Amino acid sequence: MATLNPMLLAALLWVPVRTLTCYGDSGQPVDWFVVYKLPAQSGPGKAAQSGLRYKYMDKDSGGWRDGAGSINSSAGAVGRSLLPLYQNASQLAFLLYNDQPPKPSGAQDLSSRGHTKGVLLLDQEGGFWLVHSVPRFPPPTSSAAYSWPFNAQTYGQTLLCVSFPLTQFWKIGRQLTYTYPLVYDHKLDVAFAQKVPYLEDVVKGHHVLHGPWNSSVTLTSKAGDTFQSFAKFGKFGDDLYSGWLAEALGSNLQVQFWQNSHGILPSNCSRDQHVLDVTQIAFPEPAGPAFSATEDHSKWCVAPEGPWVCVGDMNRNLREEQRGGGTLCAQLPALWKAFQPLVKAWKPCGENRTFFP
Ligand SMILES: *[C@@H]1O[C@H](CO)[C@@H](O)[C@H](O)[C@H]1NC(C)=O
Ligand SMILES: *[C@@H]1O[C@H](CO)[C@@H](O)[C@H](O)[C@H]1NC(C)=O
Ligand SMILES: *[C@@H]1O[C@H](CO)[C@@H](O)[C@H](O)[C@H]1NC(C)=O
Ligand SMILES: *[C@@H]1O[C@H](CO)[C@@H](O)[C@H](O)[C@H]1NC(C)=O
Ligand SMILES: *[C@@H]1O[C@H](CO)[C@@H](O)[C@H](O)[C@H]1NC(C)=O
């Protein structure tokens, strides 16, 4: 009787361990990706009309690509990456935080908390940090399935997912003691709480108690790309971009943020580095689309002369000077080449008109 070759047997029995990372739009593990959910009425077709289409990019995508399907699909980059939350999370740790939590979670909107939204999902080897702008998202794990909230269909939204080894999560946890997030769902067993200090503090709602009220750290992704996290507590009391980021990055910044609230801060050229409010966004022709910042709830900035891009939590308005929050920046050529051309118009300093280059 033929016996199985031991090598073949091993191959047959080997079940690939699903590593916990960000997943790209074709279902492959990726080190990081950005998804830009487009505003409603951004093109022909039902999905584009109702605001369920998105653009996708990662290091190897060669710039922006049309999203594989609807942002509501669990087969796309965002849904696929978050899937472990809604399957068997017994071996995992996670924190879901949002200043506008999903309604069924029972948590309240607390405006003393940071203006910050995201997901930490990790196993014993590492996982990812998803930084995003989406209100009432993602659904709590009790929902048993990924879905995109109806309330976040109309406007543009950004999501940045970065895969990190376990060693980076204590630094991320420490940043979250500055941003002071509202955690509406979590799982953090003792084993994780010991390995990743600060996360338990964050879950319990502890925050920094003495200045300095801002903190910046370098984070290294699983594949070795460098990210810089900027985090501020409410007592920082200044705009993230004009009061810190532009100087820290040593560059002028064009900032896309939600412009439909009270107390919007005008473009600011009072310091060496200028901070300019973006008013028009356009994806490259022929596909486009182009839209106004008033249709866009996303929060990102780009150094027009390079090489920085940041995706994060904060708008430029008076209220958010007194709130926690932050942004995740990188100087990666692929990222900058994708974001730099998106800025179609901005407000010059001291003028009301919009500048179209
Ligand atoms: C979840 O996974 C753990 C270990 O991987 C297993 O013991 C448990 O039975 C699973 N639970 C479900 C509901 O599949
Ligand atoms: C997303 O999918 C779920 C499940 O199929 C559905 O109930 C929900 O209405 C969809 N949401 C949107 C915004 O289309
Ligand atoms: C410009 O930004 C700095 C730092 O945030 C702030 O102190 C100053 O008041 C701002 N100037 C104007 C004109 O808004
Ligand atoms: C905090 O922000 C100020 C600018 O407002 C900056 O000079 C300082 O270096 C920052 N502190 C840290 C710890 O990053
Ligand atoms: C901008 O418009 C406002 C309101 O219309 C006006 O009060 C202000 O003087 C204008 N500022 C400049 C610099 O033109």
Side-chain angles (χ1 to χ4, degrees):
M1 201 176 99
T3 54
L4 272 178
N5 171 328
M7 293 292 283
L8 179 61
L9 186 62
L12 288 174
L13 292 178
W14 185 73
V15 181
V17 180
R18 252 223 333 245
T19 50
L20 204 58
T21 73
C22 306
Y23 279 84
D25 228 19
S26 333
Q28 78 289 15
V30 294
D31 194 45
W32 55 265
F33 72 73
V34 182
V35 158
Y36 206 131
K37 208 277 298 171
L38 300 168
Q41 274 130 40
S42 59
K46 197 162 166 254
Q49 283 297 306
S50 55
L52 293 172
R53 299 287 308 166
Y54 61 95
K55 298 279 182 179
Y56 169 89
M57 71 148 308
D58 61 35
K59 189 159 39 183
D60 303 315
S61 65
W64 297 107
R65 288 188 186 175
D66 287 334
S70 154
I71 192 74
N72 195 25
S73 159
S74 54
V78 180
R80 174 67 188 80
S81 299
L82 292 177
L83 216 52
L85 284 175
Y86 308 105
Q87 294 179 334
N88 186 348
S90 65
Q91 306 294 304
L92 309 178
F94 60 83
L95 268 70
L96 312 185
Y97 61 90
N98 199 318
D99 54 294
Q100 295 170 279
K103 282 271 160 58
S105 71
Q108 303 149 317
D109 291 30
L110 285 172
S111 60
S112 64
R113 293 292 181 128
H115 190 278
T116 179
K117 302 170 173 57
V119 174
L120 291 180
L121 179 57
L122 51 150
D123 64 16
Q124 298 289 339
E125 249 103 72
F128 63 79
W129 187 12
L130 176 72
V131 172
H132 69 83
S133 67
V134 189
R136 321 227 180 269
F137 177 85
T141 49
S142 57
S143 318
Y146 169 83
S147 69
W148 187 263
F150 186 73
N151 62 273
Q153 278 182 251
T154 305
Y155 300 113
Q157 308 284 353
T158 34
L159 305 96
L160 166 62
C161 188
V162 186
S163 308
F164 288 112
L166 192 66
T167 52
Q168 302 298 290
F169 280 88
W170 77 265
K171 291 197 263 183
I172 297 173
R174 189 164 174 277
Q175 291 299 85
L176 266 55
T177 65
Y178 287 81
T179 58
Y180 191 30
L182 177 61
V183 178
Y184 63 89
D185 195 5
H186 76 276
K187 182 170 182 297
L188 193 67
D189 295 343
V190 186
F192 280 104
Q194 283 169 350
K195 276 190 184 161
V196 195
Y198 292 113
L199 287 187
E200 196 162 24
D201 293 331
V202 171
V203 167
K204 286 180 177 158
H206 298 167
H207 56 73
V208 283
L209 294 170
H210 48 79
W213 302 111
N214 53 330
S215 164
S216 162
V217 295
T218 302
L219 300 170
T220 307
S221 72
K222 279 191 177 170
D225 277 345
T226 301
F227 289 79
Q228 192 77 20
S229 158
F230 292 86
K232 74 177 184 89
F233 187 59
K235 285 189 181 170
F236 181 71
D238 200 347
D239 174 51
L240 173 70
Y241 304 92
S242 63
W244 183 18
L245 201 58
E247 187 194 14
L249 301 181
S251 8
N252 299 331
L253 294 177
Q254 293 166 328
V255 189
Q256 155 55 38
F257 64 96
W258 180 239
Q259 310 238 348
N260 302 346
S261 62
H262 293 290
I264 295 298
L265 299 176
S267 294
N268 188 322
C269 301
S270 66
R271 299 187 175 176
D272 287 348
Q273 275 82 32
H274 296 180
V275 173
L276 303 164
D277 296 354
V278 169
T279 56
Q280 293 283 333
I281 298 97
F283 279 84
E285 295 293 340
F291 45 91
S292 158
T294 56
E295 297 169 73
D296 195 356
H297 189 256
S298 66
K299 296 143 204 347
W300 53 268
C301 65
V302 61
E305 296 90 26
W308 288 100
V309 170
C310 310
V311 177
D313 295 328
M314 307 291 306
N315 300 307
R316 300 197 66 234
N317 65 48
L318 278 173
R319 180 68 190 95
E320 286 175 43
E321 292 189 351
Q322 316 296 332
R323 305 232 355 224
T327 192
L328 191 53
C329 304
Q331 29 185 344
L332 301 167
L335 195 61
W336 187 78
K337 276 184 208 153
F339 273 87
Q340 189 275 335
L342 296 185
V343 177
K344 270 291 155 305
W346 62 88
K347 283 250 168 65
C349 284
E351 291 182 40
N352 284 335
R353 78 191 166 90
T354 288
F355 182 68
F356 290 87

